[in-house]
Amino acid sequence: IFCFKQLSQAVRLPDKLRQAREEFGITERQASELTRIPYKYLCALEAADFTALPASKTFRLAYVREYAE
């Protein structure tokens, strides 16, 4: 019933976001301006400091979704 697969080491979301931003050759400030995500929240996303994000689940999800796009 259960299938066990050997999975490669998972890439954390913050690392993936940072890597994509760096591939585009833009700074955190530029990404903040392009996505309209406040700079302090964008830095928190890349640092995996989710406690620094707004308390509202709606805003947290919106910031992650906007940055990922």
Side-chain angles (χ1 to χ4, degrees), residues 18 28 37-49 67:
R18 182 181 307 106
E28 290 172 331
I37 298 172
Y39 178 75
K40 67 179 184 177
Y41 296 146
L42 189 133
C43 291
L45 283 172
E46 285 195 0
D49 183 9
Y67 197 21

Side-chain angles (χ1 to χ4, degrees), residues 5-37:
K5 287 197 244 183
Q6 191 71 9
L7 299 176
S8 63
Q9 185 174 1
V11 177
R12 295 175 355 140
L13 176 64
D15 295 335
K16 197 164 185 141
L17 293 173
R18 182 181 307 106
Q19 181 182 20
R21 177 182 55 76
E22 290 172 348
E23 286 177 5
F24 280 104
I26 60 175
T27 65
E28 290 172 331
R29 286 262 181 224
Q30 291 170 322
S32 174
E33 292 171 8
L34 290 169
T35 59
R36 295 183 308 238
I37 298 172

Side-chain angles (χ1 to χ4, degrees), residues 41-68:
Y41 296 146
L42 189 133
C43 291
L45 283 172
E46 285 195 0
D49 183 9
F50 300 112
T51 60
L53 296 175
S56 168
K57 183 178 179 181
T58 303
F59 278 105
R60 290 191 313 254
L61 291 174
Y63 288 154
V64 170
R65 185 177 295 125
E66 180 65 30
Y67 197 21

